[in-house]
Amino acid sequence: MTVAAIPTKSVRAAPSPPPGAMPLALTINGEHHRVEVDPRTTLLDLLRDHLRLTGTKKGCDHGQCGACTVIAGGKRINACLSLALQHDGDKVTTIEGLGTPDRLHPLQAAFVKHDGFQCGYCTPGQICSAVAVLGEIKAGIPSHVSADLTAPMRATNAEVRERMSGNICRCGAYSNIAEAIAEVAAA
Amino acid sequence: MKAFTYERAKSPAAAAAAVAGQPGAKFLAGGTNLLDLMKLQIETPTHLVDVQDLKLDRIEPTADGGLRVGAFVSNTALAADARVRRDYAVLTRAIVAGASGQLRNKATTAGNLLQRTRCPYFYDTNQPCNKRRPGSGCAALGGYSRQLAVIGTSDACIATYPGDMAVALRVLDAGVETIDAHGAARTILLAEFHHSPGDTPHLETALAPGELITAVTLPPPVGGHHVYRKVRDRASYAFALVSVAAIIQPDGSGRVAFGGVAPKPWRSDAADAALPEGATAVTARAFADARPTADNKFKIALATRTLAATIAQARPA
Ligand SMILES: Cc1cc2nc3c(=O)[nH]c(=O)nc-3n(C[C@H](O)[C@H](O)[C@H](O)COP(=O)(O)OP(=O)(O)OC[C@H]3O[C@@H](n4cnc5c(N)ncnc54)[C@H](O)[C@@H]3O)c2cc1C
Ligand code: SF4
Ligand code: FES
Ligand code: FES
């Protein structure tokens, strides 16, 4: 009996590009991609529907929930409010690029340890956002709760909560999310 | 979204010419407001001219000791600039009080200035709205108007200008530098940038079709204590019900502008002059001509209290 090999990555025949499609090239999680997209395609839909990187989630599709947070050009953004074409030449990191099941990113490990989720839908966005938040604090970017705008920024509970306010968790796992981030910030 | 074509312009004049030369064309900056509205088919451009390659992403000193902020500088970069934090803190405070970290990373200086109203009836395409569909009427007038404007409105539209950054720019007496399709440059004072609705609420700014914002200029620093206070329905990631941007000098004089109350950042000389007399005197002047609805008249009392807290915060300890 022969067993058909199950491809670890599904390889789909590229659908023929729609009329008016435009080419773009970008690097996602270190892998180079060349695609042709209808100009209406958002970065989020490119990731999920064209490249099958479904770790990044679609919650609201209007910038109101943070489920689609990815890191593009070193900055966290909402992939739902960005056209794929705006990212021609960019480097993008998604949750799939941060860690793997056997080599978790420290924030992924901390979310598991502290139970920073219930249903898990918001989690990829929370973790991508948190990775960037710690970078923003290190870079001295101020927030709404920073008392002194000219002093170095610190990853206090109040700072982390304010900076993470663009990521909604419908399950209300906020206090555990804050603990997970605090542990990594202190490490 | 309706179908559109897309291009990346190579120079400011080429971008302006591309938009001016094609009816239905629009500039695309961060996209955080425009794409949102395109998904709802409130905006239906047929061509987008992306301005990201125009090299308008620098903050540089001006000859008179102020700053010139490129139109494409992100909200995060502007708020974090060391010169802005030191000399124009009200601007940093206003920016970080708005939206979320993700949105501020993508949003740009020009796009922020040009963000459109959050009137719920503007967003609901089943409702009449003179701003969205000129001449169709205004559903907000007899509707739910808690978030809407109390002053500067008209019988055609009572929407607010929703942004935070522009309220700070108003107290800073900022200017908006533009270039048109023929390469002609001009500066529009922020005070004259946003229009009152009158009979034409769909015409929101002083920009001509195809006119590109290239920069926002800040006059030399004026010192004083800089405060931005924003009152909203939750502590973060929400638009203002009322906000106050103020620069208050040690002798109690200063400048003040209000957000969330009018179709533009709301400031007047008479209100500024009353600052040493306290909050009640200021808002009595600033809101003398107010025409609130039953739903939103609370905003006037809220503005007085928010300003009182602002003045207390600015008082030397
Ligand atoms: C969930 C959510 C919450 C938000 N909360 C807040 C808040 O609390 N406070 C606040 O102030 N804002 C808030 N915002 C709005 C946000 O600040 C704006 O979406 C953003 O600033 C727009 O900038 P942009 O560069 O993305 O603009 P775009 O969406 O790219 O453009 C907006 C408009 O500006 C025009 N434009 C862009 N650049 C130029 C140029 N150089 N010259 C001429 N025209 C130009 C475009 O054609 C378009 O009409 C929120 C947005 C969202 C989605
Ligand atoms: S207030 Fe203005 S934006 Fe709102 S429904 Fe009326 S016309 Fe439209
Ligand atoms: S899906 Fe992008 S913010 Fe909700
Ligand atoms: S874990 Fe369910 S939405 Fe956050």
Side-chain angles (χ1 to χ4, degrees):
Chain A
M1 202 175 79
T2 55
V3 180
I6 299 167
T8 48
K9 245 184 178 175
S10 74
V11 185
R12 294 193 319 151
S16 56
M22 291 183 71
L24 83 142
L26 74 180
T27 305
I28 299 167
N29 303 329
E31 211 175 301
H32 199 63
H33 294 270
R34 269 177 191 287
V35 286
E36 280 196 35
V37 294
D38 181 309
R40 288 172 286 189
T41 311
T42 60
L43 177 61
L44 178 60
D45 289 342
L46 173 73
L47 292 170
R48 289 183 54 84
D49 300 345
H50 297 239
L51 304 174
R52 299 283 151 173
L53 290 165
T54 52
T56 309
K57 300 296 186 245
K58 182 182 283 189
C60 64
D61 215 17
H62 287 282
Q64 298 172 357
C65 76
C68 64
T69 304
V70 300
I71 302 169
K75 300 187 168 63
R76 60 178 169 143
I77 62 162
N78 304 101
C80 69
L81 287 188
S82 208
L83 293 177
L85 289 171
Q86 287 176 277
H87 296 282
D88 192 18
D90 271 6
K91 286 193 170 67
V92 178
T93 303
T94 69
I95 189 72
E96 291 92 342
L98 286 178
T100 60
D102 35 62
R103 275 183 73 93
L104 294 179
H105 183 280
L107 269 160
Q108 289 173 317
F111 267 64
V112 173
K113 176 172 162 198
H114 291 276
D115 239 346
F117 44 77
Q118 283 183 39
C119 76
Y121 197 81
C122 71
T123 312
Q126 298 278 4
I127 292 177
C128 284
S129 202
V131 168
V133 160
L134 296 182
E136 288 168 13
I137 291 173
K138 270 211 186 88
I141 292 168
S143 89
H144 179 57
V145 299
S146 309
D148 181 352
L149 290 183
T150 52
M153 299 296 150
R154 289 171 44 233
T156 62
N157 184 268
E159 283 282 0
V160 167
R161 282 174 175 269
E162 161 59 25
R163 290 168 190 267
M164 290 294 293
S165 75
N167 291 82
I168 308 292
C169 175
R170 191 67 186 80
C171 300
Y174 295 113
S175 56
N176 293 358
I177 293 170
E179 279 174 22
I181 299 172
E183 180 178 286
V184 176
Chain B
M1 264 190 252
K2 296 276 191 196
F4 57 86
T5 48
Y6 170 96
E7 75 176 284
R8 283 200 192 181
K10 291 286 168 267
S11 73
V19 169
Q22 188 166 334
K26 280 195 94 98
F27 300 112
L28 174 68
T32 61
N33 190 225
L34 185 55
L35 295 174
D36 189 9
L37 294 168
M38 285 168 64
K39 289 180 182 193
L40 298 164
Q41 299 192 7
I42 293 165
E43 298 263 19
T44 53
T46 52
H47 184 64
L48 290 184
V49 177
D50 189 333
V51 301
Q52 69 173 289
D53 292 339
L54 303 184
K55 303 191 171 63
L56 300 176
D57 56 357
R58 282 186 280 260
I59 305 177
E60 48 194 24
T62 55
D64 68 356
L67 282 182
R68 174 178 289 108
V69 180
F72 199 73
V73 170
S74 76
N75 289 178
T76 300
L78 180 54
D81 186 275
R83 296 159 291 189
V84 176
R85 285 199 254 173
R86 188 186 63 219
D87 297 332
Y88 305 97
V90 67
L91 180 54
T92 291
R93 291 283 181 203
I95 293 171
V96 297
S100 67
Q102 291 94 314
L103 288 160
R104 294 191 298 268
N105 281 343
K106 194 83 188 321
T108 66
T109 307
N112 192 320
L113 268 182
L114 290 168
Q115 63 176 290
R116 303 200 68 191
T117 188
R118 296 278 161 171
C119 170
Y121 303 99
F122 173 76
Y123 268 82
D124 181 349
T125 49
N126 297 310
Q127 300 286 340
C129 169
N130 288 322
K131 195 186 268 304
R132 177 167 34 73
R133 197 148 37 88
S136 62
C138 170
L141 282 174
Y144 179 71
S145 53
R146 178 174 176 270
Q147 292 146 285
L148 304 185
V150 296
I151 195 163
T153 56
S154 72
D155 292 337
C157 179
I158 59 168
T160 60
Y161 172 78
D164 294 296
M165 182 190 82
V167 186
L169 291 178
R170 183 69 181 89
V171 285
L172 290 167
D173 285 330
V176 181
E177 293 188 350
T178 70
I179 189 170
D180 71 13
H182 309 288
R186 63 166 175 155
T187 301
I188 306 164
L189 289 178
L190 198 86
E192 284 147 25
F193 186 77
H194 293 104
H195 280 169
S196 297
D199 295 332
T200 53
H202 60 293
L203 303 177
E204 294 173 344
T205 70
L207 293 178
E211 191 170 356
L212 175 81
I213 298 176
T214 50
V216 165
T217 51
L218 303 177
V222 294
H225 201 103
H226 289 223
V227 182
Y228 189 77
R229 263 188 112 90
K230 178 174 177 180
V231 182
R232 42 188 160 172
D233 285 329
R234 56 183 183 195
S236 188
Y237 202 18
F239 284 93
L241 287 168
V242 166
S243 71
V244 172
I247 300 177
I248 299 180
Q249 301 297 342
D251 66 0
S253 69
R255 312 161 170 201
V256 58
F258 297 89
V261 293
K264 54 175 114 178
W266 198 251
R267 179 179 174 200
S268 74
D269 291 341
D272 278 5
L275 256 176
E277 297 162 51
T280 313
V282 173
T283 51
R285 289 183 174 77
F287 296 100
D289 299 324
R291 291 200 317 166
T293 66
D295 282 350
N296 69 20
K297 63 174 190 293
F298 76 93
K299 285 192 175 189
I300 297 172
L302 187 57
T304 306
R305 293 177 194 157
T306 310
L307 178 59
T310 302
I311 294 171
Q313 190 180 335
R315 202 172 290 138

